[in-house]
Amino acid sequence: MSFDLVFFGGTGDLTWRKLMPALFQAWRHGKLPAGGRILAVARDERNHNSYREWLKERLAAAEPAKRPTDDEFAQFAAMVHYLRMDLSQPTDYAALRDWLACRCADTVVMYLATSPHLFPVICEQLGKVGLNHPGVRVVLEKPLGHDLASAQAINRAVSAVFTERQALRIDHYLGKPSVQNLMALRFGNVLFEPLWRRESIANIQITLAESLGVGTRGDFYDRTGALRDMVQNHALQLLTMVAMEPPSSAHADAIRDEKLKVLRSLKPFDESSVTRDVIRGQYRAGAIEGQAVPGYLDEAKVPADSCTETFVALRCEIQNWRWAGVPFYLRTGKRLAHRHAEIVVNFRPTPHSIFPGAQSPNKLVIKLQPDDGLELHLLAAKGSVHTLGSGQEVLSPVSLDLDFDKAFPTERVGAYERMLLDALAGRLNLFVRSDEQEQAWRWVEPILHSWSKDSSGLRTYAAGSWGPAAASALIGRDGYAWAEEY
């Protein structure tokens, strides 16, 4: 299969930090189809060779295991090309069309690694020069819009040029191997599905924690905030995969239909429930791994009076037969104690204990990053002679730990590597459909509206902590605790 992969925003952070390294790894693993060209598009005055040198410098900064040798880069760079474009100029799109037409690849993928406000004009101009034929796909990077209205405007502009099957809305969390194993855990094994319901599960926690601050992205982040940046997309997509009903098949639309049902079943927020069930915070100065770090208001390009949230914790419910009464807790934030992402499924206690002593309920931990695996926490008897007066031994916690990197030491691919390969192959399972995306915006909008009317609920937390104390109180109100607080 011959392909042309075009990166709009070819000199941007996303392209050189994530996309190009992922493509190089796909090439190194022998997964990238032969006969491909990679075209970077940007406004900078460069040519093919100068862009390749620029890219080589950046790939040389990758972690050693992923760093190309000179020979590897020379082979990979032969696929890489550069075209200067001003995205506001129609004539430049004609030049792109002519460059692509010189060999007529089987598949053309346009990856829009640009600001979302450029999506409509790019799609419109691609349509005007005929770059929307059935062999073309367009990949839309998040965030798709700033609210429901802007997301719908982008979707209308895209759908005026491309069909739904041609428009791939990316959420790279769905490409993580551990998320794929969430599907395998539920629908490829018989063990957990009978327990995956309100009768057996007490609560589910989804945590997406970062130890980094906003860095050089202060101006972007201050316009976005944690709710838009992480909850509306990543956290809600993970929630749908945990809570969805078994799809009828592995077909993309069968899976996305079930995810949409979950989003439509989420209990809507109103002003009183936002006040009660949503916590927002902003980090102040503190320490990460023993190093002092500044507060959010002291970061570059952040207004001194900013009320943008860098932390969100919320409690939500799914109003359907399977999950009625089971609280779901979502949490994300910057400058937290550790960088990790995980889903914790806390099971109910045994209905009648025959063993002495306090016993912690079973739980399943699905680790997304930086570790990638599963932990099943159980209770077991040591076989010790130390007993209580009853003559029965107190049970002790044990865990079954599956590290996917050790279980599958080869053929593992990163999230962006998987998503790029799926985009080239036209596999849609891991991409978000427009109705899913809009429903997610519809659910978070009452939170945004409530916050816009009242900024007094913004709490501060020290960098290096787990967020505002109110987040612990939120979950503690139901008699539970966050995983690290047990």
Side-chain angles (χ1 to χ4, degrees):
M1 179 192 78
S2 62
F3 71 87
D4 285 330
L5 177 54
V6 181
F7 288 127
F8 290 83
T11 57
D13 279 7
L14 177 64
T15 299
W16 68 264
R17 287 184 187 275
K18 299 291 186 181
L19 303 179
M20 285 295 189
L23 277 178
F24 170 71
Q25 292 302 319
W27 174 85
R28 176 186 265 179
H29 295 153
K31 302 294 186 183
L32 204 60
R37 296 188 301 179
I38 302 164
L39 178 65
V41 167
R43 296 184 65 172
D44 305 42
E45 290 289 353
R46 299 181 187 273
N47 57 34
H48 302 318
N49 289 331
S50 65
Y51 182 79
R52 290 166 184 157
E53 286 301 314
W54 176 87
L55 181 61
K56 183 177 183 180
E57 292 176 2
R58 279 146 184 80
L59 291 183
E63 58 185 276
K66 297 183 178 180
R67 194 176 299 162
T69 64
D70 288 344
D71 183 58
E72 284 178 326
F73 183 79
Q75 295 179 61
F76 175 71
M79 304 172 62
V80 178
H81 306 269
Y82 182 82
L83 180 65
R84 184 192 180 281
M85 280 186 67
D86 182 339
L87 300 182
S88 65
Q89 297 300 314
T91 54
D92 286 3
Y93 291 86
L96 172 63
R97 178 197 58 203
D98 295 343
W99 190 89
L100 294 169
C102 71
R103 70 165 192 156
C104 295
D106 297 327
T107 299
V108 177
V109 174
M110 309 285 189
Y111 198 117
L112 307 193
T114 67
S115 174
H117 80 271
L118 293 173
F119 292 175
V121 67
I122 294 174
C123 290
E124 179 185 6
Q125 293 300 325
L126 289 174
K128 285 183 177 179
V129 297
L131 288 176
N132 62 335
H133 58 78
V136 176
R137 302 183 191 106
V138 60
V139 179
L140 307 170
E141 182 63 55
K142 82 163 188 80
L144 269 75
H146 195 69
D147 53 18
L148 177 60
S150 59
Q152 290 174 325
I154 290 173
N155 284 333
R156 284 194 298 270
V158 173
S159 64
V161 181
F162 297 98
T163 67
E164 182 65 39
R165 293 193 63 80
Q166 290 176 285
L168 283 60
R169 297 163 189 83
I170 193 168
D171 187 326
H172 72 272
Y173 264 76
L174 299 186
K176 291 181 180 293
S178 45
V179 176
Q180 300 310 298
N181 273 300
L182 175 57
M183 293 283 286
L185 177 79
R186 289 199 58 197
F187 307 129
N189 299 281
V190 72
L191 181 62
F192 285 106
E193 188 56 28
L195 305 176
W196 215 258
R197 58 192 66 248
R198 67 185 187 281
E199 291 88 353
S200 300
I201 292 176
N203 69 86
I204 293 178
Q205 303 174 18
I206 299 175
T207 295
L208 306 177
E210 299 178 81
S211 58
L212 294 175
V214 297
T216 60
R217 300 168 67 238
D219 54 346
F220 162 78
Y221 194 88
D222 201 66
R223 298 190 305 270
T224 306
L227 186 71
R228 292 183 174 96
D229 191 43
M230 297 294 288
V231 175
Q232 183 273 334
N233 38 68
H234 300 326
L236 281 185
Q237 282 295 314
L238 293 175
L239 183 147
T240 62
M241 296 189 75
V242 170
M244 65 190 281
E245 294 298 316
S248 59
S249 71
H251 187 272
D253 278 333
I255 294 171
R256 296 191 290 188
D257 285 347
E258 296 303 334
K259 288 162 62 185
L260 179 61
K261 290 177 185 177
V262 174
L263 291 170
R264 287 176 172 167
S265 299
L266 282 168
K267 185 177 181 180
F269 282 106
D270 55 29
E271 288 194 17
S272 63
S273 60
V274 169
T275 302
R276 183 183 66 245
D277 294 333
V278 184
I279 305 299
R280 53 178 162 154
Q282 185 184 89
Y283 66 84
R284 62 177 187 270
I288 301 288
E289 296 181 352
Q291 298 294 317
V293 295
Y296 178 72
L297 298 180
D298 297 318
E299 300 278 17
K301 302 178 182 178
V302 172
D305 60 349
S306 173
C307 292
T308 297
E309 80 286 353
T310 62
F311 175 95
V312 175
L314 61 84
R315 180 190 189 279
C316 59
E317 297 179 19
I318 298 172
Q319 297 178 309
N320 64 17
W321 190 274
R322 181 185 292 265
W323 296 113
V326 177
F328 285 70
Y329 304 101
L330 311 185
R331 177 177 59 162
T332 185
K334 290 190 172 295
R335 289 293 190 208
L336 296 180
H338 301 291
R339 171 183 176 262
H340 79 211
E342 66 180 20
I343 302 167
V344 180
V345 180
N346 289 300
F347 291 93
R348 296 189 183 280
T350 53
H352 173 67
S353 177
I354 62 171
F355 297 95
Q359 298 167 29
S360 56
N362 304 141
K363 67 178 178 179
L364 174 68
V365 181
I366 302 160
K367 297 182 289 186
L368 307 178
Q369 69 178 26
D371 300 319
D372 177 16
L374 298 172
E375 288 180 2
L376 181 59
H377 294 253
L378 305 170
L379 294 170
K382 292 181 181 179
S384 167
V385 296
H386 300 290
T387 61
L388 296 180
S390 65
Q392 291 180 306
E393 185 176 356
V394 175
L395 300 184
S396 300
V398 295
S399 64
L400 304 178
D401 192 351
L402 171 60
D403 185 326
F404 288 133
D405 286 328
K406 292 179 181 177
F408 308 113
T410 60
E411 304 299 322
R412 300 279 282 165
V413 299
Y416 270 109
E417 184 179 345
R418 176 181 292 275
M419 302 299 273
L420 286 165
L421 292 173
D422 281 3
L424 291 172
R427 294 186 291 265
L428 306 181
N429 298 45
L430 303 184
F431 296 95
V432 179
R433 207 167 56 191
S434 60
D435 50 2
E436 284 183 79
Q437 179 221 4
E438 291 181 10
Q439 184 60 34
W441 274 118
R442 194 170 285 114
W443 187 71
V444 302
E445 275 223 319
I447 304 175
L448 294 170
H449 289 159
S450 179
W451 288 355
S452 69
K453 291 189 258 182
D454 180 15
S455 61
S456 63
L458 184 69
R459 296 166 168 86
T460 60
Y461 61 97
S465 69
W466 280 107
S472 295
L474 169 72
I475 193 170
R477 194 175 66 215
D478 294 331
Y480 305 125
W482 295 106
E484 77 278 356
E485 295 175 343
Y486 282 111

